[in-house]
Structure formats: structure tokens, C-alpha cells
Amino acid sequence: MNSSTSRSRLRARTAVVAGAASLAAMALALAAPLAASAHVHVDPDQAAVGSYATLTFKVPTESATAGTVKLEVDLPTDTPLGSVSYQPLAGWSTQVVTETLAKPIKTDDGTVTQAPVKVVWTAEQGVQIAPGQFQQFVISAGAMPDTGSIVLPTHQYYSDGTVVNWDEKTPASGAEPEHPAPTVYITDAPPPADGAATPGLLATPTAVAPAAPAAASPAAAATAIGLGIAGLVLGAVALVVSVLALTRRSRAVTSPAAQSTPASATAADGSK
């Protein structure tokens, strides 16, 4: 095998290793946001005082072995919503639960003694949100109270009896808890995406924010960035190691000492 062929094969091997490392880095960077987005959340997460908002709860099934068969959303009772309706969903029955409030609420329209306190979706026989799937549950709710935000604790029931409670409030710092509760911000601003509080910033109270895909939480975004950087570093290290190996092998193949020995031996034989 001549030195040119050896160098070509070493370059090809190096390219394969570098390409694999780059693909691994890309996979890490892409997988992290996908994993981080696997939370129950509401869209939009902002609304104006007095408005009637169409709220969509996106519910992914995180279990690898069981499907989602029931969903409950708790509505606020300290700042109750006067009207809640739902969009029919094939394969699911829906119930808006109305109860007498423990403490009547005085409004401009009078005293409110009853209000919707829960919305429940139940899958029909043979229906579920299977592993790797998600479903959207839509309600119309209002009028939005004059308050900072309304927290909507959500309870996800699985076919194996497991219940996941999405009921932890996200602090103003933006550090997302393990099971964040879907929240609609009204006069408060949503937590900053970078985890750094922005004092004095309030949501615009004149219009409901247009529906858009929900952004990843601050903690999830930080995790995604960290894993992405780690993947890129691993790829860079693999590339450097491959280049060093190529350099060493190339030097070994093309070493003058290695090439001069046969020539000297030949000359010696000829002199005899």
C-alpha cells in the first residue's frame, strides 16, 4: 500500500468520525427542546382585563407505557370566571362543573354566588392520548378578572392509574418548577425567558395576545442550551482527536527515516 492510498483512507476515516460527532451534537441540541416542551401548558398565556379568551390546553402523554384518559382543569374561585364554554372533542365527553362559592364575590354586575370551578374531559371507551401523542383541549372563558394572573392547576390521568398534577406556580424569577401549572397573565408580565426579572414591565391590557406556539420555559431553555453546547464540545473534541490521529499516521507513513532505510539497503547491496 503506497503512502498516497494510506493518507486518503485516513482522511476518509477522519471525515466519518467528525461527521458522526457533528450529528451527535445536533441530536443533543434538538432533543433537549423537544423533551423540555413535554409539559401541559395553555396558549395564549396572556389576556386583557374584561376580555373573553379562547384558551387551548396542549396535553402530551409523557408515559412510555400508558395513555392519557382524563383531564381536569381547576378554575379560579377567588377571581371567578363568569362564563366558561368548551369546544366539542370527538371521543371525549366534557363537563363544566359549577359550584356555590365559599365566599361570594361582588362585581359591577352584582354579587356572584356561583361560578364554574372545573372543566373535566373524559375519554370514551377505547380512546386515549397514546404515548408519543398529544391532544388539544379548548375552552372559551371570561370575562378576565382585573388581577395579576390566574393559575389553572391541571390534573392528567393515565390509563394505569397514575395522576400527574400540573399545579406548581412559576415564580417571578422564571425558574420553572418540575410540574408548572398553566397560567394566564393578565396585568402581570409573564416570567422572563432568560430567568432575569424585568421590573416594571406589565402586559398590555388592551388586547388579547394572538395565539402562537408556547415558548419553552426558562429552565427548559437553559437545559436545552447547556446540552446543545455540551454536544458541540464533544463534537469538537472528537474532531481534534481525529485530526491528531491523522497527523501522526501521516507522519509515520511519510517519515524520511522510514523511506531512506530501503534505499540505503539497496545501495549497500549494489556496492557489494
Side-chain angles (χ1 to χ4, degrees):
M1 182 185 297
N2 58 43
S3 60
S4 177
T5 302
S6 298
R7 285 195 296 271
S8 297
R9 291 186 175 180
L10 286 172
R11 291 193 185 100
R13 188 179 298 111
T14 300
V16 171
V17 173
S22 298
L23 289 175
M26 292 175 62
L28 280 171
L30 292 174
L34 291 175
S37 65
H39 287 339
V40 172
H41 65 269
V42 64
D43 181 46
D45 64 352
Q46 290 180 270
V49 175
S51 67
Y52 285 76
T54 298
L55 304 177
T56 301
F57 294 86
K58 185 176 180 180
V59 181
T61 289
E62 295 182 327
S63 172
T65 58
T68 301
V69 294
K70 184 178 179 181
L71 187 75
E72 291 186 2
V73 176
D74 295 336
L75 304 175
T77 55
D78 52 345
T79 54
L81 300 167
S83 173
V84 174
S85 57
Y86 62 89
Q87 180 173 293
L89 181 62
W92 296 74
S93 62
T94 310
Q95 180 185 12
V96 178
V97 179
T98 300
E99 294 181 357
T100 300
L101 299 174
K103 182 179 179 180
I105 304 297
K106 293 183 178 181
T107 67
D108 294 339
D109 298 324
T111 300
V112 177
T113 59
Q114 288 189 328
V117 296
K118 189 187 297 288
V119 184
V120 183
W121 289 269
T122 305
E124 297 175 358
Q125 184 69 31
V127 175
Q128 64 175 0
I129 308 172
Q133 298 180 353
F134 73 91
Q135 183 60 266
Q136 293 181 325
F137 300 85
V138 183
I139 65 172
S140 175
M144 289 293 160
D146 187 1
T147 187
S149 63
I150 55 174
V151 179
L152 304 168
T154 301
H155 314 282
Q156 184 177 11
Y157 293 77
Y158 282 93
S159 56
D160 62 359
T162 303
V163 180
V164 178
N165 297 310
W166 302 93
D167 57 1
E168 298 175 350
K169 188 173 182 179
T170 301
S173 65
E176 187 179 68
E178 184 177 359
H179 295 96
T183 303
V184 178
Y185 297 90
I186 303 174
T187 60
D188 285 347
D194 59 2
T198 305
L201 178 63
L202 297 180
T204 303
T206 56
V208 179
S217 67
T223 302
I225 293 172
L227 289 176
I229 292 174
L232 292 175
V233 170
L234 288 174
V237 170
L239 180 58
V240 170
V241 171
S242 300
V243 170
L244 290 175
L246 172 62
T247 302
R248 291 175 180 174
R249 291 182 182 181
S250 296
R251 287 176 179 174
V253 171
T254 60
S255 172
Q259 294 181 353
S260 63
T261 301
S264 300
T266 302
D269 292 340
S271 63
K272 293 179 181 179

